[in-house]
């Protein structure tokens, strides 16, 4: 009788947690094929003095972290770039988009380009922006990379063009990653681990990466804010405890990994080499990254 | 005067040789056979079957005069099955006798066989004519013992009651056949027998509608024996059936259900109100959700009423039972569209649940215990004219779930629903039939707590929500004149909606009061006028401690236009919280009038209108909603009726949409035009077909917009505008086998299409729950010895879905966005599921016990309810529906 009761309790439990059953998908931190892991603009925010728009927008350099563990380091891919105004849904609309980099083939690690946004594109973005440029005008760039072994890979990056308002406002800068520690020790050239070992990675950005910045409020006032940095971890083998740490505290969820920004890596059982990437993002479009090679021995 | 009649037919077979039939009578024959031992035993080898039944019409004159009672008749069934002479055994009034005999003359039977040969036989029928709520003043049953009926010289005294229900059986015969003594039980089932000599005596109790029972007693000089008989009802009687009184149909799309007969539909957990989900016009809701998706409209566009008063929810959370104990249920009126003028402030479907009078002569009760909750019902007669009934239900998942998870060895994030509901009703009779009043107090509370107690988890989540409502209603029915009747229902109530997390808490409290007054005036035989007043005022306060949204803009943010304050997340809020308190009036004042005009015996037309004000926030909008219904009976014999209706409906936008802080206070009313045509046809009295075609156009719907206006130089998002429009059209088919003794069931099929624009300026797309084909087959069989088996099979087209073509990496947020294909352009796979329910009832002398097994998804169909994707939208997999789920429970009643 007790057994029967227990069975029914389990049935009830199955009913209540049934919604939690999900298909088994790949983990986002495991890089197995062609991936865009980061795109950084330099500068991430372009500011010009209040007044008439300049004849030509300042140049922005865009660099990327594109990887494909299936291929050799010097493998090449075909890619091209499109710029579009304000709304990401406009990138497929010729009226709001223009190709700014024609298709070309380069090495994976050499995908970078310059953006000199046309006045026409910025004007369209301004017209299309529901805030009419308040706080800055976003111009979107879409990076398209052909993958012969899979679907096209697309990455989106917002370039922000604004004016210096309030007067003390300065443009955002990309964060700088000082060091990555493995088990509290700075990494020299690479990480060496035995199969199944656990290694705790701790990214340490330079102090100036967390900027204070000032913004104009909707009511015409000024507000000084702090940046929050988020850390994203990727590996080519083994397992990570967390794909993302840091970031802004969430009002609704208590997350210990906001303060504890480490991620624990479990080395794979098979010997071999691989790469760990750490990408750091601020919450204003700035980004940087670093790669850590590792060697796993039996 | 609200009048209905209940007609019960009970037949006791009396098998007679042709030469004996003239003086046959069931009870006496039974006695005679025992006493005289007939020389030739006649055996009924094939009982006749009633193949055509005609319902007796309650004579108006009798109803007006309050004449009611049982008409007992002896029917001769000829060897060819035709009805022969009818003998009246007993009748309270010749008017009722005529009504009964007129109906029986139209009966047809299959021929009976005696000893294998067609024979003429006689059967006894008892028609029970009862005006609804007619209540004969009697001393409550439980007070009986104080009053001794029997005289001191009675050797045997006792009572004859029905098994399980303990109801007295007036008129039952109690006999000591050996001594040729027979007495009749009185109105309370009491009897007394004198003149029995000392010694052992067999006493037999016989009733036409029950199985006879014999006891042997020992009579001693100077002693009085007490005997109580509990006679089981004649379950095997082939003619036993219950035909309940029906309200005359005056609409095109209404389906009326009566509760007690519908507690055994599989998949409804024995809840008659959940049976609505199996009717045409309602789309299937994923899992066991309780949303009302009527004719392609959003859940908020349909409304649920209890005794004509709007209530916020009809089902408890997470597929729980309805908020009303089934014992209180009188009937459910379900209007998928074209509701009559009594209902307003809605633009889609209407469900009205009517509670029943609690009048009773004896103590009644019921207990229902299952895996999820337990409920208790008690009905007590206080005096001849006052009765009270109360019920309470409480779930206990919150108590057993920790044990479940512990037994399963799991720590997990769980959603725990906790709910209770209660009802208390006091009924008071005020003299004449049709004059009474009641007080009804009812309410419900649902709380949902999401907790995570995973010891190793980095994330602690705590979310909670609560919906509760409470109502106090005073009702008064009064027959003002022979032609004019009235029902008055003032009410007050309180609603609470709460949701909260660690960082925010929101309370929406609503105090409401109002009155509903309905009049019916019978101007003539062919004209009935309904008019009334429907006033409801709600004062709702929105109190919250919520995070302060950002007051600046960051164009580099990855997210939606109104959340552009930060990067890496879709919701951007500051660390600060602020108190918010907003109050607003909602509701309206409406009057209505319609005229039910029987232009001819066959043609009925019901023009009407509902007009008044609808208020929300500072808006008071005037509106008039005209409605028209027509019915034409093509073939009276089969009640073949053509029907058509058109009507205008209006409602305020949802409170949050019209709110100054969170919506757009300039929104106007939403509207809908309902139109439908159809046909009804009765193949047999219990086999009915109803086919309807409908078209609903909804316009001025409040839908989201990304537009921003600038007020004093500051951005002011509009959030919602009246730019939505939607069309729903389709066909509803219902083929129904009414509840008879051994079987009921129906086939419901809906063919539908519903489209609407979701955003301002957007193209129309399919409604999120649009299902082209919905087929539901329900059947329930009752077998001997208290067994009942029910089955429900559902087949429904998959809901529309927007295909995801791939993902695009958002480098500012570090996540992937979907690349969508055409919006809602594909359908999910077909849904199909079979549910079974097996119930066994045991009948005891004083009470009955039922145990049931309800199995959902018997063959474990793996129905996909949603599509899940991997982080970059390359891989996808279905989120399956509920697996095979058995559920057990027990119900006891007395």
């Amino acid at each position: 009788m007790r057994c029967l009761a227990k069975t029914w309790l389990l049935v009830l439990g199955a009913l209540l947690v049934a919604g939690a059953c999900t298909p088994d998908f790949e983990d986002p931190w495991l890089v197995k094929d062609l991936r865009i892991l980061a795109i950084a603009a330099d500068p991430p925010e372009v500011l010009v003095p209040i007044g008439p728009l300049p004849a030509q927008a300042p140049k922005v350099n865009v660099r990327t972290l594109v990887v494909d563990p299936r291929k050799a380091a010097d493998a090449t891919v075909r890619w091209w770039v499109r710029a579009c105004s304000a709304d990401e849904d406009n990138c497929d609309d010729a009226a709001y988009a223009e190709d700014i980099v024609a298709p070309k083939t380069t090495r994976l690690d050499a995908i970078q380009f310059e953006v000199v946004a046309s006045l026409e594109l910025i004007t369209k973005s301004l017209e299309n922006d529901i805030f009419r440029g308040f706080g800055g005008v976003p111009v979107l760039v879409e990076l398209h990379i052909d993958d012969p072994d899979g679907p096209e890979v697309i990455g989106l990056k917002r370039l922000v063009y604004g004016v210096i308002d309030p007067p003390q406002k300065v443009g955002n800068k990309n964060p700088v990653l000082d060091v990555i520690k493995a088990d509290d020790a700075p990494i020299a050239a690479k990480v060496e681990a035995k199969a199944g070992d656990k290694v705790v990675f701790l990214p340490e950005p330079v102090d100036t990466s967390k900027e204070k910045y000032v913004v104009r409020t909707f009511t015409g006032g000024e507000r000084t804010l702090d940046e929050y940095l988020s850390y994203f971890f990727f590996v080519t083998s083994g397992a990570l405890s967390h794909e993302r740490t840091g970031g802004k505290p969430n009002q609704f969820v208590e997350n210990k990994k906001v303060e504890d920004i480490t991620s624990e890596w479990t080395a794979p059982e098979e010997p071999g080499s691989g790469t760990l990437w750490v990408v750091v993002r601020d919450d204003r479009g700035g980004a940087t990254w670093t790669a850590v090679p590792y060697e796993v021995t039996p | 005067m609200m009048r209905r009649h209940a007609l019960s037919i009970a037949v006791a077979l009396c098998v007679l040789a042709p030469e004996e039939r003239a003086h046959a009578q069931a009870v006496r024959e039974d006695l005679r056979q025992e006493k005289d031992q007939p020389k030739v035993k006649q055996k009924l080898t094939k009982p006749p079957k009633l193949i055509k039944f005609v319902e007796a019409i309650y004579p108006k004159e009798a109803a007006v005069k309050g004449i009611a009672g049982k008409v007992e008749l002896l029917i001769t069934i000829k060897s060819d099955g035709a009805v022969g002479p009818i003998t009246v055994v007993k009748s309270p009034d010749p008017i009722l006798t005529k009504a009964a005999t007129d109906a029986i003359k139209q009966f047809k039977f299959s021929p009976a066989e005696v000893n294998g040969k067609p024979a003429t036989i006689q059967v006894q029928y008892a028609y029970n004519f009862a005006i609804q709520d007619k209540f004969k003043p009697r001393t409550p049953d439980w007070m009986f013992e104080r009053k001794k009926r029997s005289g001191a010289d009675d050797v045997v005294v006792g009572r004859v009651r029905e098994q399980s229900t303990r109801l007295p059986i007036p008129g039952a015969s109690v006999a000591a056949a050996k001594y040729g003594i027979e007495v009749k039980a009185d109105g309370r089932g009491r009897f007394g027998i004198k003149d029995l000599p000392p010694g052992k005596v067999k006493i037999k109790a016989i009733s036409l509608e029950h199985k006879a029972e014999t006891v042997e007693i020992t009579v001693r000089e100077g002693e009085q024996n007490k005997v109580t008989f509990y006679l089981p009802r004649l379950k095997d009687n082939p003619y036993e059936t219950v035909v309940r009184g029906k309200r005359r149909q005056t609409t095109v799309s209404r389906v009326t259900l009566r509760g007690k007969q519908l507690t055994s539909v599989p998949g409804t957990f024995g809840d008659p109100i959940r049976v609505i989900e199996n009717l045409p016009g309602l789309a299937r809701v994923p899992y066991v959700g309780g949303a009302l998706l009527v004719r392609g409209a959003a859940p908020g566009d349909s409304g649920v009423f209890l005794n004509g008063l709007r209530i916020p929810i009809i089902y408890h959370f997470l597929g729980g039972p309805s908020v009303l104990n089934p014992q209180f249920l009188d009937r459910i009126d379900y209007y998928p569209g074209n509701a009559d003028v009594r209902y307003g402030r809605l633009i889609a479907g209407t469900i009205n649940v009517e509670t029943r009078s609690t009048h009773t002569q004896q103590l009644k009760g019921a207990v229902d215990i299952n895996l999820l909750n337990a409920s208790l019902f008690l009905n007590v007669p206080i005096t001849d004219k006052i009765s009270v009934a109360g019920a309470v239900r409480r779930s206990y998942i919150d108590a057993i779930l920790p044990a479940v998870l512990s037994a399963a060895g799991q720590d997990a994030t769980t959603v725990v629903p906790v709910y209770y509901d209660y009802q208390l009703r006091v009924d008071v009779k005020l003299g004449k039939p049709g004059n009474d009043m009641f007080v009804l107090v009812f309410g419900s509370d649902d709380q949902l707590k999401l907790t995570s107690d995973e010891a190793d988890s980095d994330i602690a989540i705590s979310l909670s929500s609560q919906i509760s409502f409470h109502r106090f209603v005073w009702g008064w029915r009064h027959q003002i004149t022979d032609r004019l009747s009235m029902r008055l229902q003032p009410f007050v109530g309180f609603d609470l909606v709460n949701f909260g997390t660690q960082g925010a808490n929101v309370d929406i409290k609503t105090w409401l009061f109002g009155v509903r007054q309905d009049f019916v005036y019978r101007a003539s035989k062919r004209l009935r006028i309904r008019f009334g007043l429907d006033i409801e005022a709600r004062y709702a306060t929105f109190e919250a401690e919520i995070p302060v949204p950002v007051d600046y803009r960051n164009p580099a943010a990855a997210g939606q236009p109104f959340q552009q304050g930060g990067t890496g997340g879709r919701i951007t809020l500051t660390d600060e919280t602020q108190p918010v308190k907003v109050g607003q009036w909602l509701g309206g004042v409406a009057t209505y009038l319609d005229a039910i005009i029987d232009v001819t015996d066959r043609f009925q037309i019901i023009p009407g209108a509902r007009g008044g004000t609808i208020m929300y926030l500072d808006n008071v909008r005037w509106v008039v909603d005209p409605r028209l219904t027509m019915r034409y009976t093509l073939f009276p014999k089969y009640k073949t009726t053509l029907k058509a209706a058109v009507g205008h409906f209006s409602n305020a936008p949802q409170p949050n949409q019209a709110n100054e802080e969170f919506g757009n206070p300039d929104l106007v009313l939403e509207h809908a035009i309902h139109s439908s045509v159809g046909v009804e046809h009765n193949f047999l009295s219990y086999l009915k077909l109803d086919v309807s075609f409908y078209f609903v156009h909804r316009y001025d719907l409040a839908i989201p917009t990304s537009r921003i206006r600038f007020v004093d130089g500051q951005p002011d998002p509009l959030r919602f505008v009246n730019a939505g429009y939607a069309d729903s059209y389709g066909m509803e088919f219902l083929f129904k086998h009414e509840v008879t003794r051994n079987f009921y069931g129906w086939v419901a099929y809906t063919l539908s299409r519903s489209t609407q624009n979701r955003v301002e300026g957007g193209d129309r797309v399919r409604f999120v729950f649009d299902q082209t084909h919905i087929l539901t087959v329900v059947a329930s069989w009752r077998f001997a010895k208290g067994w009942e088996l029910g089955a429900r099979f559902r087949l429904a087209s998959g809901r529309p879905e927007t295909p995801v073509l791939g993902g695009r990496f958002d480098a500012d947020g570090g996540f992937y966005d979907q690349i969508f294909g055409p919006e809602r352009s594909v359908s999910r796979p077909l849904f199909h599921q079979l549910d079974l329910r097996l119930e066994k009832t045991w009948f005891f002398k004083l009470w009955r016990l039922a145990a049931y097994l309800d199995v959902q998804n018997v063959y474990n169909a793996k129905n996909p309810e949603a599509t899940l994707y991997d982080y970059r939208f390359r891989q996808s997999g279905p989120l399956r529906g509920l697996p095979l789920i058995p559920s057990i429970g027990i119900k006891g009643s007395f």
Side-chain angles (χ1 to χ4, degrees), chain A residues 111-184:
Chain A
I111 297 177
Q112 50 190 337
F113 50 93
E114 292 177 351
V115 177
V116 181
S118 68
L119 206 56
E120 185 187 0
L121 188 65
I122 293 178
T123 304
K124 278 184 181 174
S125 278
L126 192 61
E127 291 169 353
N128 203 35
D129 182 10
I130 57 174
F131 286 93
R132 296 291 183 269
F134 180 80
V137 180
V139 170
L140 280 55
V141 290
E142 250 190 8
L143 169 63
H144 294 249
I145 307 173
D146 289 342
D147 182 0
D149 303 317
E152 182 187 44
V153 175
I154 305 172
L156 179 77
K157 171 70 186 157
R158 291 168 189 79
L159 310 181
V160 178
Y161 297 85
V163 294
I164 303 172
D165 178 50
Q168 67 273 33
K169 182 175 183 177
V170 293
N172 185 27
K173 297 183 180 63
N174 285 316
V176 177
L177 198 50
D178 187 21
V179 67
I180 301 284
K181 288 183 176 175
D183 290 337
D184 288 332

Side-chain angles (χ1 to χ4, degrees), chain A residues 6 8-13 15-19 21-23 25-28 30 33-39 88-89 91 129-138 142 147 151-158 160 213 215-219 223 225 228 232 242-244 248-249 251-257 281-285, chain B residues 371-372 397 400-401 404-405 407-408 414-415 455 457-461 501-504 547 550-559 561-562 564 566-568 572-577 706 708 710 714-715 807-814 816-817 819 853 868-872 874-879 882-883 885-888:
Chain A
K6 186 175 176 180
W8 284 111
L9 287 174
L10 289 172
V11 167
L12 176 65
L15 165 65
L16 293 169
V17 300
C21 298
T22 54
F25 293 130
E26 288 178 0
D27 293 310
L30 185 62
D33 49 25
L34 181 63
R35 294 269 297 267
I36 299 172
L37 298 183
I39 303 175
E88 52 234 56
D89 291 337
C91 290
D129 182 10
I130 57 174
F131 286 93
R132 296 291 183 269
F134 180 80
V137 180
E142 250 190 8
D147 182 0
E152 182 187 44
V153 175
I154 305 172
L156 179 77
K157 171 70 186 157
R158 291 168 189 79
V160 178
Y213 61 102
V215 293
R216 178 71 72 196
T217 65
F218 288 139
T219 53
R223 181 183 283 268
L225 303 163
Y228 293 93
F232 297 79
H242 295 87
E243 180 225 357
R244 178 181 178 172
K248 189 176 180 182
Q251 297 270 355
F252 305 102
V253 178
E254 274 183 42
N255 187 351
K256 295 174 189 171
K257 298 309 288 186
R281 293 187 173 91
D282 63 26
D283 47 7
R284 292 197 292 156
Chain B
L371 281 174
L372 305 177
I397 304 170
I400 62 173
L401 192 61
V404 172
L405 296 175
T414 55
V415 179
S457 174
D458 298 318
I459 296 175
I461 303 171
T501 69
Q502 289 119 325
V550 295
D551 59 353
Y552 55 91
R553 187 225 184 175
N554 177 6
F562 301 120
Q564 294 191 1
T567 307
T572 303
L573 301 163
T574 64
D575 297 336
E576 305 157 24
T577 60
S706 58
I708 291 180
F710 287 84
Q714 293 181 33
R808 177 173 57 184
F809 178 69
D810 188 315
D812 294 313
Y816 284 78
D817 260 338
I819 299 173
L853 169 66
L868 300 176
Y869 296 90
D870 71 331
Y871 67 96
R872 55 179 170 173
R874 283 191 183 181
Q875 297 175 314
S876 65
L879 181 64
L882 294 176
I885 298 175
S887 169
I888 56 169

Side-chain angles (χ1 to χ4, degrees), chain B residues 210-224:
Chain B
H210 301 82
K211 284 183 179 172
E213 189 176 275
T214 303
V215 297
E216 187 176 83
I217 60 170
T218 303
V219 177
R220 294 189 178 87
E221 199 70 46
E223 288 185 7
Q224 190 179 57

Side-chain angles (χ1 to χ4, degrees), chain A residues 16, chain B residues 372 394-403 416-419 449:
Chain A
L16 293 169
Chain B
L372 305 177
R394 170 66 157 84
S395 69
Y396 33 69
I397 304 170
D398 54 316
I400 62 173
L401 192 61
V416 181
V418 182
Y419 56 78
K449 292 177 182 172

Side-chain angles (χ1 to χ4, degrees), chain B residues 212-323:
Chain B
E213 189 176 275
T214 303
V215 297
E216 187 176 83
I217 60 170
T218 303
V219 177
R220 294 189 178 87
E221 199 70 46
E223 288 185 7
Q224 190 179 57
N225 289 273
K226 289 185 179 176
V227 178
T228 302
F229 291 95
Y230 292 94
L231 307 186
R233 285 192 70 85
L234 276 173
K235 289 292 175 187
D236 298 329
N237 187 330
Y239 300 115
E240 183 181 294
T241 183
V242 176
V243 181
R244 292 188 177 272
K246 294 181 181 63
R247 294 192 303 155
R248 190 175 177 191
Q249 184 66 278
T250 55
T251 60
V252 168
S253 306
R254 186 182 70 206
V255 177
T256 297
L257 301 172
R258 291 192 176 271
K260 288 185 177 177
Q261 301 147 346
L262 297 170
T263 57
S264 54
V265 176
T268 63
F269 300 108
D271 191 332
I273 297 178
R274 278 207 168 267
V275 175
I276 297 169
E277 297 172 351
N278 300 294
L279 296 175
L282 266 170
R284 191 189 69 84
V285 183
Y287 296 103
V288 285
L292 296 171
L293 305 168
V294 185
R295 286 188 176 172
D301 292 336
S302 297
V304 181
F305 297 80
L306 200 150
N307 273 27
L309 312 178
R310 185 98 183 249
I311 54 175
I313 57 170
I314 187 67
Y315 302 121
H316 288 293
F317 279 168
L318 296 184
S322 61
V323 297

